[in-house]
Amino acid sequence: MDRVTFGRIIKGGFVNFFRNGVVSLATVLVISLTMFMLGSVLVGGIFLNGVISNLEEKVDITAYFKLDTDERDILEVKSNLEKLPDVKGVVFVSRDEALNKFLERHKGDELYMKTIEIVGDNPFPASLEIQAVDPSRFEAISVFLESGRFQNLIDEKSPGIKNISYRLNQSVIDRLSVILRTIKLVGFGISLILALIALMVAYNTVRLAIYSSKDEISVMQLVGASRSFIRGPFLVEGVIHGVISALFTIVAFYPLLLWAGKRTAGIFGGIDIYGYYVSYIWQISFILLLVGIAIGVLSSALAMRRYLKV
Amino acid sequence: MIYFDNVSKVYSPTSIALEDVSFSIAPKEFVSIVGRSGAGKSTLLKLLLAEESPSSGSVFFESHNIHKLSRKELPFLRRKMGVVFQDYRLLPHRTAYENVAFALEAAGKSEDDIAHDVQQVLELVGLMDKAWHFPHELSGGEKQRAAIARALVVAPEVVIADEPTGNLDPMNTWEIVRLLEKINDLGTTVILATHDKEIINYLKRRVLTIEKGKLVRDEAEGRYVL
Ligand SMILES: Nc1ncnc2c1ncn2[C@@H]1O[C@H](COP(=O)(O)OP(=O)(O)OP(=O)(O)O)[C@@H](O)[C@H]1O
Ligand SMILES: [Mg+2]
């Protein structure tokens, strides 16, 4: 195809788009709606992933050691823990650090300061903060601590009960994480079905628009236009529809997510959907643009096929 | 140049449009096709344009079997034909000018050539003052003249005109007929389907008469007889 013909096809697409005014607008709206559905699935997915991993990062185990434990022993425990496949990371908090943290946290609080003074010595044990790969692996880690050769190093709350604390109760975390995953799956499923329906509507809108041009298409063929010369402008129009719809959608998400973000900020430990959207804006825009163009062009191409047969 | 070999077209058992039609047309001939309404004139022309395919038989254009051409080859064949449709078939979203220009654009002609050729044929059919009107802003006769302009602009080897004067007043009718004669004199084959007795009798050219889908007469200097 030479440059002149290519230019004519591009121009034809734009001319069609503007001369079809109302139909173009309707098509753009329907495709936008489709993209909006798809976008919601995308943003929702990213958001829920964020919530889940955020939650999982909060899942950690703290093991407190007896006050007289040698630091070298604790570090040995640490390096042993780090070898476990269930462990994501281990942070050592020495007695001094624990004290400093406490003082930091209760700065200016007379009562606490006095208590520390009265006790005189540093009352805080050294500890290891252990992050599990997965909340369900808690059990294995605590078994390792409580029954291994280090068990004697670990402080006891009361005889027989080791001082190991879970920052969040394991079963709660487990349940929450299951619920979130279910929400993600079900939500994804429903949105996907809705998006598919929207996709069908978009395709049918495009098809209807092309159907109304079917006589034109056959005349074009009869006066000697090649199939690609006829199809070209329709595909260009599809690209225009897709790009405008994508831009529409990207812009429409801003106020919506700002609102949704404010409403949900308190629920999931301050994760901000709007923030997620803004920080992923390039990736999301790119995907929406691709999807929009794909919907516009594929709908046109598919709808064209049956009218190019004269 | 054009050869119909035992061509039949059956749309459905109740409408048999053509039955065993055979004839050939030599280059530079001027052939009129006459017949009552519903005799099969338009069908014959549609077969020549490969808009419809024959139920049996074959149609040849310059030794190509038209209906065996691939989708890629077909447009090149059609660019050798200039067609005036009975129902005009102008592109509704394009002005008269753009309608005429379309076939040239599709053939990949340069903008300069297009501007020149389109202007020329529009002047020829007397439509220059309405060049930027859309089809719905044109009268029946003006639409017909735009359709004729579109057929002529590609400088075709054969002009196929299906009742090109149906909506024209006597003055315009004769202008078109003389135009077709002139084109034919310049070496273009012309196939004209018409009801118009006066035109046929004036032309004194070859006449094919179709009755109920059958070719019943083929006279070298025919008159209109039905
Ligand atoms: N697409 C179609 N489907 C079914 N029957 C058709 C179709 N097109 C034409 N016919 C039938 O074929 C026959 C011939 O039609 P055609 O259009 O060729 O006639 P014509 O000679 O051009 O008539 P007119 O002078 O009125 O234009 C008619 O009986 C018509 O009803
Ligand atoms: Mg007819």
Side-chain angles (χ1 to χ4, degrees), chain A residues 72-206:
Chain A
R72 269 173 305 179
D73 286 336
I74 301 178
L75 288 174
E76 200 194 332
V77 176
K78 177 171 183 271
S79 65
N80 274 305
L81 275 169
E82 277 166 346
K83 282 181 205 133
L84 293 184
D86 297 329
V87 172
K88 196 157 137 198
V90 185
V91 178
F92 171 59
V93 180
S94 69
R95 295 187 55 192
D96 290 342
E97 280 167 357
L99 175 67
N100 286 338
K101 264 193 199 169
F102 181 87
L103 292 176
E104 187 76 15
R105 208 170 333 138
H106 300 286
K107 216 190 291 174
D109 193 328
E110 283 300 307
L111 186 65
Y112 283 106
M113 296 301 151
K114 275 218 177 88
T115 318
I116 296 290
E117 247 168 60
I118 291 163
V119 173
D121 208 6
N122 180 355
F124 295 98
S127 61
L128 285 178
E129 289 174 358
I130 306 155
Q131 254 186 31
V133 171
D134 187 307
S136 62
R137 308 310 304 170
F138 264 21
E139 209 52 46
I141 296 169
S142 56
V143 164
F144 173 82
L145 289 170
E146 286 179 35
S147 53
R149 62 195 163 93
F150 311 109
Q151 57 171 313
N152 291 327
L153 300 176
I154 294 175
D155 198 17
E156 295 186 338
K157 279 186 212 161
S158 52
I161 310 274
K162 299 285 181 213
N163 192 354
I164 296 175
S165 76
Y166 306 107
R167 190 177 296 177
L168 279 170
N169 183 293
Q170 183 194 339
S171 64
V172 172
I173 291 173
D174 275 357
R175 245 179 293 150
L176 204 60
S177 143
V178 167
I179 291 172
L180 281 176
R181 277 174 207 286
T182 313
I183 290 178
K184 199 178 141 189
L185 220 67
V186 172
F188 190 74
I190 293 176
S191 322
L192 209 64
I193 290 171
L194 288 177
L196 278 179
I197 293 173
L199 208 63
M200 306 270 281
V201 175
Y203 167 64
N204 273 299
T205 310
V206 172

Side-chain angles (χ1 to χ4, degrees), chain A residues 2 4-5 8 11-12 15-16 19-20 213 215-227 229-230 233 305 308-310, chain B residues 49-51 71 74-76 78-79 83 85 89 91-95 98 102-111 114 134 150:
Chain A
D2 58 294
V4 179
T5 307
R8 279 176 188 149
K11 185 177 155 226
V15 170
N16 282 0
R19 287 198 183 154
N20 290 338
S213 315
D215 292 337
E216 265 181 275
I217 293 171
S218 63
V219 175
M220 289 176 182
Q221 292 186 84
L222 292 177
V223 300
S226 68
R227 286 151 56 86
F229 189 76
I230 300 171
R305 268 194 337 185
L308 274 173
K309 283 191 180 143
V310 182
Chain B
L49 202 55
E51 187 182 353
R71 286 174 163 177
L74 206 48
F76 292 98
R78 285 172 175 158
R79 283 174 207 165
V83 194
F85 299 98
R89 301 217 210 164
L91 303 170
H93 300 297
R94 289 169 199 257
T95 62
E98 290 167 334
F102 180 80
L104 294 175
E105 287 177 357
K109 290 268 161 43
S110 77
E111 291 298 330
I114 292 176
F134 286 94
R150 177 176 65 184

